[in-house]
Amino acid sequence: MKAYKIEAVLHIYEMAELSEEDRELVEAAKQATNSSYAPYSKFRVGAAARLQNGVVVVGANQENAAFPSGLCAERTALFAAGAQHPDQPVVALAIAARKGSRFLDKPISPCGSCRQVISGMEDRHGVPIRILLYGTEGIYVSEGISPLLPLRFVGDDM
Ligand code: THU
């Protein structure tokens, strides 16, 4: 038997260490939590996607009384970007979450379905997406989806 070793490295930055572009994107994700519709979980998540041309498209989680019909912030942002700017690759995605008015100290990380959609968005344009996960104690940065979704399924596998 052989072992298949998987290594994932994220980097943790302070806000001041980020580039101005990344800082702006994180601020846009924090701001986007205001558009969250989360009457059931009361957990407000915002996401902001930067396109290659510099345009920023935001999303926020949208819940529904039939729970599975709701959608995460990441996917609302990415699907809006894909629908409004079909020819533009997404180059970075920032995510922020809060309970009440308090942003989380440790960042949340995208759910499995969102990871698959981020992966699909990378494959669609052949461009990796820099993922910035905001927490008050630090911003976790993943260069592309691969560290968060190793051995992922891509269209080329079919
Ligand atoms: N949620 C997101 O929007 N993004 C995540 O990465 C994790 C979870 C939302 C879905 C639901 O509205 C609420 O947070 C609680 O799970």
Side-chain angles (χ1 to χ4, degrees):
M1 191 185 68
K2 291 179 189 167
Y4 187 101
K5 198 171 166 190
I6 295 172
E7 197 177 49
V9 178
L10 303 190
H11 291 102
I12 305 175
Y13 292 85
E14 291 178 18
M15 255 328 220
E17 293 175 315
L18 294 178
S19 68
E20 199 179 325
E21 266 198 341
D22 281 351
R23 249 197 326 270
E24 276 173 17
L25 200 65
V26 168
E27 289 301 342
K30 290 173 71 180
Q31 185 71 27
T33 61
N34 294 328
S35 328
S36 155
Y37 180 66
Y40 305 102
S41 71
K42 313 265 193 273
F43 190 62
R44 300 175 73 127
V45 187
R50 182 183 296 283
L51 311 183
Q52 201 165 57
N53 65 5
V55 169
V56 171
V57 178
V58 298
N61 58 329
Q62 303 295 315
E63 297 184 351
N64 187 280
F67 287 4
S69 302
L71 200 64
C72 293
E74 294 91 323
R75 275 176 287 164
T76 66
L78 291 177
F79 288 153
Q84 292 165 23
H85 307 273
D87 300 325
Q88 275 296 314
V90 172
V91 295
L93 178 71
I95 299 151
R98 63 182 166 87
K99 287 181 195 165
S101 61
R102 197 171 151 63
F103 283 97
L104 305 186
D105 294 338
K106 298 241 176 335
I108 59 158
S109 180
C111 76
S113 297
C114 287
R115 290 176 198 215
Q116 186 61 32
V117 168
I118 296 168
S119 166
M121 205 67 175
E122 284 192 352
D123 295 337
R124 176 169 167 174
H125 296 289
V127 175
I129 300 176
R130 184 172 160 82
I131 301 165
L132 300 116
L133 308 174
Y134 173 76
T136 61
E137 291 175 356
I139 299 99
Y140 291 29
V141 177
S142 175
E143 298 298 345
I145 192 64
S146 186
L148 298 179
L149 194 63
L151 283 182
R152 67 190 196 274
F153 175 72
V154 293
D156 287 351
D157 292 338
M158 284 185 281

